[in-house]
Amino acid sequence: MAAFVMQVLGCEVAALNTVQFSNHTGYRQFKGTRASADEIRDIYEGLKQSNLTDFDIMLSGYAPSAEAVEAIGSIARDLRFKSSMKPGSLFWVLDPVMGDQGKLYVNENVVPVYKKLLREADLILPNQFEVEVLSGVKITSLSTLKEAIAKLHQQHRIPHIIVTSVSFDESKELCVVGSTRRTDGSPRFFCINVPRIDCFFSGTGDMFAALTVVRLREAVSSTKISDLHGLSSVSSWISPDDVDALNLPLAKAAEKVLASMHTILDKTKKAGDEALADQEVGALGIEGSSEKSMYLRQTKAAEVRLVRNLDDLRHPVVQYKAEALWDPTEPFNTES
């Protein structure tokens, strides 16, 4: 999904697939293969030998093993070295896909590898559970979430962080919380609240990451820090310290990302409900128990309708605006 979203929005994409599956894992059954670390490195070497690694953004997501994560890190380091003479010319967006809802779905040895890579990334896109794993802070409120993000800024020097889905108790809203660090490591928090859609979608993390790549680059490209230089020529695209949270390119990008996502997911939910209502049990020719058949039908009905809603990808209408969460006068403490 990520490659398609970026291509639709005008990016030239070289996709290095870490898995080759028949369908997404939300179906709870699939066939296919996972790429080994050697295969990942080999494909990258193939790109290098033909001088096809002139990338300005790297987006990494799910990796099937600790060794595969290390291979991805080595690719990022190689690209960073190539761009070292030109600040801002290589930006790494790292989605540390490890688990959700309190459970890891990767081996435990993946976690320390990701922690080692955090300092090298420009932007990370963890979910609520992954922030807990990376920071060691149990998140039970916005206050503890802010503590976790501040700790990641300070300890790992991560320039930008967006927590992609935050929810407490039975709230009818989901919250996306982001921050860009200042030179002293302190955070600039913003939050965007969107209505919760009562449906389980697969692939939304990929969609969020891909949209963030496009919209952040767009926001950065239009931001000037002087008459001669734009923000895209600054290492890690970090805004000057006097830029407040709501005027960060990261916040502006997130508003557009969520505008596209909420509209498309809402339309997907409505289309899926209509499809289920029109179907008879067994109409898809699925074998097995009626409970399993119903689950597979519901999962298929929830497949994100990207192709049918390209205009919502290209021309988002922003309804949900960023709000500041950080009071500069509030005592700042990242001790665990």
Side-chain angles (χ1 to χ4, degrees):
M1 182 185 294
F4 174 77
V5 170
M6 290 186 285
Q7 288 168 329
V8 164
L9 294 176
C11 298
E12 297 289 347
V13 179
L16 198 166
N17 294 324
T18 56
V19 298
Q20 186 68 32
F21 289 163
S22 56
N23 48 270
H24 66 69
T25 57
Y27 284 91
R28 301 177 184 168
Q29 57 184 21
F30 56 91
K31 298 288 187 180
T33 59
R34 295 173 172 86
S36 68
D38 286 341
E39 288 169 332
I40 291 170
R41 291 190 181 95
D42 193 47
I43 293 172
Y44 178 69
E45 288 301 319
L47 291 170
K48 281 183 66 175
Q49 71 183 8
S50 297
N51 299 320
L52 297 174
T53 57
D54 52 338
F55 306 117
D56 48 16
I57 298 179
M58 174 175 164
L59 169 62
S60 62
Y62 174 73
S65 68
E67 294 77 15
V69 176
E70 289 173 342
I72 290 168
S74 68
I75 292 171
R77 282 189 288 273
D78 187 66
L79 292 173
R80 184 81 73 193
F81 178 77
K82 288 180 55 180
S83 66
S84 58
M85 299 301 293
K86 189 178 178 183
S89 61
L90 190 281
F91 192 92
W92 181 15
V93 180
L94 169 61
D95 185 357
V97 181
M98 294 183 290
D100 202 1
Q101 303 297 318
K103 295 181 180 179
L104 287 173
Y105 43 65
V106 296
N107 291 331
E108 290 185 1
N109 64 350
V110 169
V111 176
V113 181
Y114 270 125
K115 287 183 177 180
K116 290 179 181 178
L117 291 179
L118 291 179
R119 186 175 288 265
E120 301 181 48
D122 297 293
L123 164 64
I124 64 169
L125 302 174
N127 59 32
Q128 183 173 333
F129 171 67
E130 290 159 349
V131 169
E132 288 187 347
V133 172
L134 294 172
S135 68
V137 176
K138 179 64 177 177
I139 296 169
T140 58
S141 64
L142 280 178
S143 178
T144 51
L145 176 61
K146 288 162 62 176
E147 179 187 348
I149 293 173
K151 186 175 180 180
L152 290 172
H153 274 319
Q154 286 280 3
Q155 292 190 352
H156 299 281
R157 310 293 293 177
I158 304 169
H160 310 275
I161 300 169
I162 297 181
V163 185
T164 57
S165 56
V166 179
S167 180
F168 302 110
D169 300 322
E170 299 300 321
S171 173
K172 294 183 179 180
E173 290 186 322
L174 288 175
C175 183
V176 168
V177 177
S179 172
T180 294
R181 65 184 298 274
R182 296 185 181 88
T183 52
D184 65 356
S186 62
R188 284 175 277 189
F189 290 116
F190 64 87
C191 175
I192 305 174
N193 293 295
V194 295
R196 182 194 296 272
I197 299 173
D198 186 20
C199 183
F200 177 77
F201 305 100
S202 289
T204 52
D206 286 348
M207 183 180 176
F208 187 98
L211 284 169
T212 299
V213 164
V214 176
R215 297 308 180 192
L216 180 57
R217 182 178 180 183
E218 176 183 273
V220 167
S221 295
S222 63
T223 301
K224 294 289 185 182
I225 57 174
S226 71
D227 292 338
L228 298 177
H229 300 288
L231 188 59
S232 59
S233 64
V234 174
S235 180
S236 296
W237 302 350
I238 300 177
S239 299
D241 286 352
D242 60 352
V243 177
D244 63 47
L246 301 189
N247 288 307
L248 292 170
L250 193 67
K252 298 300 182 183
E255 289 175 345
K256 286 190 173 182
V257 169
L258 290 174
S260 287
M261 289 196 65
H262 190 269
T263 300
I264 291 172
L265 295 181
D266 186 56
K267 290 181 178 180
T268 294
K269 174 67 164 63
K270 292 175 181 176
D273 288 346
E274 292 174 0
L276 288 172
D278 291 341
Q279 292 173 3
E280 294 181 1
V281 176
L284 300 179
I286 300 172
E287 298 179 356
S289 68
S290 58
E291 183 178 348
K292 178 180 179 180
S293 298
M294 177 57 72
Y295 176 79
L296 293 177
R297 291 173 61 233
Q298 290 173 337
T299 303
K300 185 174 188 298
E303 292 277 9
V304 180
R305 268 61 167 187
L306 277 179
V307 176
R308 302 180 189 181
N309 297 290
L310 295 183
D311 193 56
D312 296 310
L313 279 180
R314 294 180 174 127
H315 308 291
V317 178
V318 174
Q319 301 179 61
Y320 310 106
K321 303 287 287 185
E323 301 174 10
L325 283 180
W326 183 258
D327 180 359
T329 66
E330 184 177 340
F332 181 67
N333 185 359
T334 61
E335 294 181 0
S336 57

